Amino acid sequence: LVAFVGFLSILTMLTNASAQTIDVQIGTQTGTTTFLPLNAYYGYSYSQQIYTASDLMGAGITGPATISKIRFYRVDGSLSNSFQWTVYLANSTKTAFTSNSDWEMSSNLNEVFNGNIVDAGSNAWMEITLSTPFAWDGTSNLIVAVDENQSSYGGTSNWRKSDLGSNRAIYYTNDYTNPSPASPPSGTRLGSVNNLQLVAASNTDCTG
């Protein structure tokens, strides 16, 4: 019995050692955008952004991982009337949005957050704890989609962004039409994405 208890203790230690929680950042440039992840100047916004597998691996997520938190850096401006978000993540083969209607299909999107975000203020990372952690498969590109559903508009907000590749983002904004992720209207493409932080539990080789 003592030997069995000892074996379970060692197994628990090895399991805990193999699951490391890491906090990484993709994008370090200091440009700003008013369009991603939303444009608070309009009543409604929907956006999708592509972060490649090499982006994630270069940041330090070296294999399959469970993402539990994401963060966007808000530089300044107002989020008035823009607090109600639905956030989706997806594993995808998409490397760029090839047209203004080339949205990632809603059937591939996984809803990971639905509620009111907490604004951290200017010059700060705004953290979203996912109600449903997302399993990144370690090889696919990552789609990050934000659907802002609170009616009425506010002021312009500026977010930190990096130019990581052509047509890596697509967005739609309107004062009166709340776009459905199931069938988004034609949008506008951008060659930049938000600087993004991810908190993830990554499985690593504890023997190395």
Side-chain angles (χ1 to χ4, degrees), residues 8-23:
L8 288 180
S9 297
I10 294 172
L11 181 62
T12 300
M13 291 172 61
L14 290 174
T15 301
N16 290 338
S18 66
Q20 297 181 348
T21 299
I22 55 177
D23 196 325

Side-chain angles (χ1 to χ4, degrees), residues 16-39:
N16 290 338
S18 66
Q20 297 181 348
T21 299
I22 55 177
D23 196 325
V24 303
Q25 180 173 331
I26 300 172
T28 59
Q29 298 175 18
T30 58
T32 60
T33 178
T34 61
F35 303 111
L36 303 170
L38 61 82
N39 190 334

